[in-house]
Amino acid sequence: MWRSFWKLAAALLVAAGLLVTPGYEATAHESAPPRPAVRGIPGEVELSADDDVAAWQRLQFGLFIHWGLYSELGGVWQGRPVTSGYSEQIQMWANIPEAQYLEVAKRFQPDHFDPAQICSLAKAAGMRYVVITSKHHDGFSMFNTRTTEYDVVDATPYGKDPLKQLADACRSQGLKFGVYFSLVDWHQGHSFDGGNENPIPPSMEPVIKAQLRELMTHYGDIAEVWFDMSAPTSSQSEDFANVVRELQPHAAINSRVWNNKGDFRTLGDNEVPSVPLDGPWQTPASIYHETWGYRSWQKRDDLPGKIRDLVTGLTSVRARGGNYLLNIGPRGDGSVVEFEADVLRGIGRWLKQHPKAVLGASATRFGGQPWGEVTVNDRDLFLHVTRWPASGEIRLPGLVTGVRQVTEDGSAEQLQWRRDGDDLVVTLPETPRDDVLPVLRVELEGQLRIIPQSTQSLSATSRAAVVDANALTHGYSYADAGRYSRTTRTVVRHTAYLTTDHSRDVKMVLRGTAEPDRLYRLTVGHRSRLLTGAQLTQEAVGPFTLPRGRVTEVSVTPARPQHVGEDLGFTLDNLLVGPSDAVVAWAELPNQLVVGSRGEARVHVSNLSRRTVDGTMTLRVPAGWGDVAPVAFSKLSPGATSTVVVPLRVPPDASPGRRTFQAVATGGKHTVNLQATAEVVLPNVAQGKAATQSSTAWEGVAARAVDGNTGGSYFGDNSTTHTAEPSTEAWWQVDLGQGYDLDSIEVWNRSDCCTERLSNYWVLVSQTPITMHSLQEARAMPGIVAIRMGDPAARPTHIPLSGTHGRYVRVQLESATDPLSLSEFVVRGLPK
């Protein structure tokens, strides 16, 4: 009987994904034997708790349509291409008087506008909803409105309402319908503004509200309302959103209604976020980055490459939890550009080959991988290999759930795989079956559970631990101050992951800066407490029980946020976790200590016991760094921390590399002394030196990348460079003033948005000036050292250069369109 019971128990554990085996290698025809239970956290990203927002998230993939009078012009005015700006804004960029622009309406006769065909095309692409421009910045309404005769019904020979036709066609074909609505309106009185951030005068409010009421009343159920641009006041944003919510209570409103009044955050054009975003969000994508409206002279080539790029964009956005809204720009006659139709059909063919891998699948907490993306659909895990590795293997770290088999999606042929600890390692075939985006299907033995890479272990020998800022994970979102240029990335969550081999009661000390009177929620596993900022940062919190053999999530979030993107207002430097009966000595060190410089460390003693203690504390430093005298503390009360600042002098002959320090305390019945490490580095020889770049836009001058400020929020702290957009092979470079023996470079990406732009870039080092703009010519210079970096730059990306000599250092993009932004460029070395 007992044998049967244990067999049943083991089967249940396998089904739940709790038994895996480290170090065991399984072939395509072998299954891994069970190992002691290790329980991770759920690996699937959950949808919003709001039913309406969750319903919008399930739409996943939609068709965006930019179509209006501007489409009739096709990016051409008076016989010449208008090369500045987007073609849907041609009235501004060509400075066309309204009277002449209205003449275009007199010939607007879109006899080839076929809503049923457009909906069929959207369905063929795998899309689930359609959003069309009801009115763009030109103020010309593409629907029947009583507010003005400046509309498609009254001002054109067409005389029909295309929005009504499209809404009806969507319903008949089972697609959801949404509308784009510009808050900038040149017809109603807004002046041309390159940034499209015009305030809304009170005189325009009645027209906007009346048009919104018409759109929310006459076109059936609306799934999404996509506001755009302008700079409304907070009350205006709320009023516009309330019109939608009154008449279409289930519609999702995008964030460009501004002042954080929307239901989901619209990211930058074609943006794939490089960090995990909390809450609902969407990427608006365009087939061509140069325009959204029809452009007759647009270059259209490399159909397979375009399909591949957009499939990768769709997959990346979906794997990270966002909706993907892909745009087409029909011609003035209403016809869809054949190249764009072929792109959509190509995406649809790929999706049909992988019917469970993207649509209907969920994002995972794995995040982006060096080789690609990960989605999950029930008990099938899909590995999207966007970068086929030369090693012939891909590694998925922290997969707890057992694996049954691995195949290329769409094929029954099994691939070889093995376990390496908690990592899944798959051997790839020599060439992929899919030449668009290869997908591997991992059949799981249970629901997806993972061990995050930043998990901190409290073993029997290390009963306490410090989780520093580098090991924390963060939830990010966005907040705005009423306009596009005042949108900033926010931190809305701090999280640490803990595991232990023995169940134990612990207390926690959170060090950082918080708003003293603001209320926060500290969640440890399934328990949570509400604490003020002062309580959170000034006293130990606990006890909490950490269960044996499972990962416990520790998170700090706002207790009552005003909106999903509200900044946490709390900077968590580190988190101490220790036994609830101990006195713990621990140290805070700079991430980097510069050779020959002076710095300081902070040594803490935290009393996690129940009685007052006396004792001393000190810091043990590497040999040759000098001695640090002990400092006494007395009457340290339960929950309190005593701190001393210890000066450090890094010897001028210190070698670069990691160094270990130990905080030491006396006093307390149970004392735990913890170690800490810091990186010893050579001086930054680029800071303050002369910098140049290929062009300058948005006042993002080159000197910002060598000013010592790594903040990276372009509008927030003025720490980021910016070249013109679009740019061809944009570059930035620094003159170090003399030759140096270089050790390494640190490239700091911006922190607010658009981090994907700083990818596929080259770092060039030369003894002589780099004067040419062409990347190919620069790389061909005699004596040049050229290093290509394919992945987006991190914060920072470290590039080793040992043995390299040079005075001039450049970073240059391969892209023919992307601007270049740098938060900081650090060059470490010594004079030659």
Side-chain angles (χ1 to χ4, degrees), residues 67-79 82 87-92 94-111 138 140-142 149-159 294 330-334:
W67 187 53
L69 285 190
Y70 45 81
S71 307
E72 181 72 20
L73 294 174
V76 176
W77 181 245
Q78 295 180 341
V82 177
S87 290
E88 66 275 13
Q89 299 178 37
I90 190 172
Q91 186 184 2
M92 174 174 65
N95 197 25
I96 305 172
E98 185 170 288
Q100 295 183 39
Y101 195 67
L102 193 56
E103 289 295 314
V104 179
K106 295 179 180 179
R107 66 175 191 261
F108 188 75
Q109 181 65 274
D111 292 331
D138 58 8
F140 190 84
S141 296
M142 294 296 290
E149 292 187 352
Y150 197 64
D151 68 86
V152 66
V153 175
D154 296 307
T156 75
Y158 186 60
Y294 173 63
R331 299 181 181 92
D333 66 4

Side-chain angles (χ1 to χ4, degrees), residues 517-783:
D517 298 326
R518 188 173 174 187
L519 202 59
Y520 296 89
R521 183 181 300 277
L522 174 65
T523 302
V524 182
H526 299 293
R527 298 175 60 190
S528 66
R529 294 185 185 179
L530 297 182
L531 301 163
T532 65
Q535 291 174 311
L536 196 64
T537 58
Q538 295 176 13
E539 55 192 66
V541 184
F544 297 96
T545 299
L546 296 184
R548 171 182 177 271
R550 67 174 60 184
V551 177
T552 299
E553 185 173 339
V554 179
S555 290
V556 180
T557 56
R560 301 186 181 101
Q562 297 296 309
H563 57 89
V564 69
E566 184 178 33
D567 193 84
L568 189 58
F570 173 38
T571 301
L572 182 56
D573 298 326
N574 43 53
L575 167 69
L576 168 70
V577 183
S580 57
D581 61 348
V583 173
V584 181
W586 53 292
E588 284 182 85
L589 291 157
N591 290 330
Q592 294 177 331
L593 294 168
V594 179
V595 169
S597 70
R598 295 181 181 273
E600 60 183 33
R602 303 175 76 85
V603 181
H604 309 285
V605 172
S606 294
N607 183 10
L608 307 184
S609 69
R610 297 181 179 179
R611 64 183 184 87
T612 299
V613 295
D614 301 328
T616 63
M617 53 181 165
T618 191
L619 183 69
R620 291 179 183 163
V621 298
W625 286 41
D627 296 326
V628 178
V631 176
F633 62 89
S634 63
K635 297 181 180 180
L636 187 62
S637 59
T641 297
S642 180
T643 301
V644 62
V645 177
V646 175
L648 295 175
R649 179 181 176 277
V650 186
D653 58 350
S655 299
R658 297 209 71 81
R659 297 292 181 272
T660 300
F661 303 76
Q662 185 173 36
V664 179
T666 64
K669 182 177 180 181
H670 301 290
T671 302
V672 179
N673 297 322
L674 295 181
Q675 291 185 340
T677 62
E679 187 80 16
V680 174
V681 297
L682 294 179
N684 176 13
V685 297
Q687 187 169 341
K689 299 296 174 62
T692 54
Q693 57 194 37
S694 54
S695 60
T696 301
W698 302 92
E699 300 180 355
V701 296
R704 289 184 179 183
V706 285
D707 62 0
N709 185 346
T710 61
S713 174
Y714 183 82
F715 292 109
D717 57 21
N718 295 322
S719 66
T720 305
T721 66
H722 208 302
T723 64
E725 49 185 322
S727 291
T728 300
E729 298 179 344
W731 57 262
W732 175 98
Q733 69 183 33
V734 61
D735 176 1
L736 302 178
Q738 67 177 84
Y740 284 88
D741 292 328
L742 303 182
D743 178 73
S744 64
I745 284 174
E746 298 164 21
V747 181
W748 291 76
N749 208 335
R750 61 190 298 177
S751 62
D752 48 2
C753 78
C754 318
T755 52
E756 75 285 351
R757 290 174 174 174
L758 188 47
S759 60
N760 296 322
Y761 62 95
W762 289 77
V763 172
L764 309 174
V765 182
S766 174
Q767 301 273 27
T768 57
I770 307 173
T771 57
M772 56 285 297
H773 289 272
S774 162
L775 175 60
Q776 181 177 357
E777 292 177 1
R779 288 172 51 203
M781 283 179 57

Side-chain angles (χ1 to χ4, degrees), residues 265-435:
R265 182 59 61 173
T266 295
L267 301 192
D269 299 348
N270 304 289
E271 181 179 359
V272 177
S274 60
V275 296
L277 297 180
D278 284 11
W281 57 275
Q282 176 197 74
T283 289
S286 55
I287 289 182
Y288 329 101
H289 290 198
E290 300 89 346
T291 189
W292 298 71
Y294 173 63
R295 177 175 286 180
S296 59
W297 46 275
Q298 176 67 42
K299 183 179 180 180
R300 300 175 177 92
D301 59 6
D302 188 14
L303 178 64
K306 183 62 69 175
I307 293 171
R308 187 179 306 113
D309 288 346
L310 293 172
V311 163
T312 300
L314 166 64
T315 300
S316 299
V317 168
R318 287 297 314 127
R320 300 173 193 221
N323 280 20
Y324 195 70
L325 189 61
L326 178 59
N327 180 75
I328 62 170
R331 299 181 181 92
D333 66 4
S335 62
V336 177
V337 176
E338 291 76 9
F339 181 85
E340 297 178 13
D342 289 342
V343 167
L344 296 187
R345 294 189 190 100
I347 294 172
R349 285 193 297 273
W350 182 87
L351 287 169
K352 286 180 180 178
Q353 292 170 6
H354 307 283
K356 296 175 63 179
V358 178
L359 300 184
S362 297
T364 74
R365 299 173 78 170
F366 286 113
Q369 299 294 310
W371 42 263
E373 307 288 349
V374 186
T375 58
V376 65
N377 195 328
D378 193 17
R379 296 190 178 188
D380 286 326
L381 195 64
F382 294 95
L383 313 183
H384 305 260
V385 189
T386 59
R387 292 174 289 277
W388 196 264
S391 66
E393 290 186 339
I394 61 172
R395 177 180 295 267
L396 182 64
L399 175 62
V400 173
T401 311
V403 173
R404 294 187 185 278
Q405 66 175 11
V406 181
T407 59
E408 279 195 83
D409 192 36
S411 169
E413 184 177 350
Q414 298 185 33
L415 301 178
Q416 290 192 342
W417 59 275
R418 70 180 190 276
R419 284 286 195 178
D420 184 5
D422 291 312
D423 296 357
L424 171 67
V425 182
V426 179
T427 301
L428 298 173
E430 288 188 10
T431 56
R433 295 175 66 250
D434 191 324
D435 59 0

